[in-house]
Amino acid sequence: MDIKISASILSADFGNLACELKRAETSGCDMIHFDVMDGHFVPNLSYGVPVLKSIRGCTALPFDVHLMITDPLDFIDAFADAGADHITFHEEIASDPVRVIEKIREKGLGAGISIKPKTPVERVFPLLEKLDMVLIMTVEPGFGGQGFIPETLEKISALRTEISKRGLSTDIEVDGGIGFNTSAKVRAAGANVLVSGSYLFRAEDMAAAVAGLRRQLD
Ligand code: DX5
Ligand code: ZN
């Protein structure tokens, strides 16, 4: 199973986004994690379609879009057209998750579903065959730079066991508080896609930070 590092630009210098994307690419990151917040689903705002559109050409890395928004169905077309490669939305939204997954697939993109730390992982089990990825939030969504919640490790293990039992190759992504000290733990529990924001973008030498993470993951 491939191990991937997805750099969350929520912690990047927004005045120099093009340079920050290049820095992530040349430092050995595998994807760019693009956090979209609507001020309803989470108590914060970030950026959306026009920003993705304008930075899409700055890097060859795939864009891993994380929709922390109440109505993802209304925005799949726009994010796909702006250059998203994978779209992940939250299980806790009110609308039908199967319809959202189908819509992401219709656009030819990778589909993921995410759960907040307090949502039982079993809630995504009925959807597993339809998904490329499950994103287990390891902090409450909404802000970068928070501390990793250790209780989420059990959910990662339970999900990896279920995925293996069914003979699937679904990626497990983790997001929140991931850095040198937490990466080995989430990897041991079964995660293979690691989102990291503040640990990478606050590093003076991002390439060394990425190499440090990879050493922990081997
Ligand atoms: C939080 C976002 C994360 C955030 C992670 O809601 O989904 O992607 O940028 O930031 P760090 O790695 O600093 O915890
Ligand atoms: Zn995220």
Side-chain angles (χ1 to χ4, degrees):
M1 174 138 294
D2 281 357
I3 293 173
K4 289 188 189 140
I5 296 176
S6 192
S8 171
I9 55 167
L10 193 63
S11 294
D13 174 1
F14 295 154
N16 292 295
L17 262 187
C19 301
E20 292 282 70
L21 290 166
K22 272 287 156 218
R23 186 158 77 107
E25 186 172 341
T26 56
S27 297
C29 296
D30 302 297
M31 297 197 281
I32 299 296
H33 186 82
F34 190 87
D35 287 301
V36 181
M37 304 182 188
D38 64 355
H40 292 276
F41 185 77
V42 288
N44 199 7
L45 292 167
S46 59
Y47 32 69
V49 172
V51 174
L52 178 60
K53 205 170 178 177
S54 61
I55 62 175
R56 174 61 275 196
C58 298
T59 174
L61 293 179
F63 271 81
D64 160 34
V65 173
H66 177 192
L67 296 180
M68 286 162 275
I69 64 177
T70 305
D71 298 306
L73 199 53
D74 296 346
F75 292 92
I76 305 297
D77 279 324
F79 279 105
D81 297 345
D85 296 279
H86 305 269
I87 295 184
T88 297
F89 65 100
H90 272 263
E91 192 277 340
E92 299 88 356
I93 54 159
S95 50
D96 176 10
V98 175
R99 181 70 201 105
V100 183
I101 295 168
E102 282 168 359
K103 180 79 191 172
I104 297 170
R105 290 245 176 271
E106 280 164 24
K107 299 299 285 187
L109 308 182
I113 199 160
S114 180
I115 50 169
K116 299 198 230 182
K118 293 193 187 96
T119 303
V121 70
E122 292 74 19
R123 292 263 282 271
V124 305
F125 287 2
L127 301 167
L128 280 179
E129 272 79 6
K130 300 182 191 312
L131 294 162
D132 298 292
M133 186 160 84
V134 176
L135 165 53
I136 306 253
M137 286 306 299
T138 44
V139 299
E140 285 298 335
F143 300 90
Q146 304 180 74
F148 176 81
I149 300 173
E151 289 74 20
T152 56
L153 287 169
E154 277 175 32
K155 296 203 305 191
I156 300 167
S157 308
L159 179 59
R160 181 52 75 199
T161 302
E162 187 65 23
I163 287 170
S164 304
K165 207 164 82 187
R166 296 190 194 188
L168 300 171
S169 55
T170 320
D171 287 321
I172 300 182
E173 185 174 55
V174 284
D175 183 7
I178 303 298
F180 191 79
N181 295 324
T182 46
S183 50
K185 291 179 197 164
V186 291
R187 177 71 197 119
N192 67 304
V193 183
L194 275 69
V195 175
S196 185
S198 48
Y199 168 75
L200 292 181
F201 284 97
R202 285 184 200 155
E204 252 173 58
D205 183 346
M206 194 193 283
V210 172
L213 270 190
R214 290 210 194 274
R215 269 198 307 280
Q216 296 291 90
L217 301 174
D218 285 341

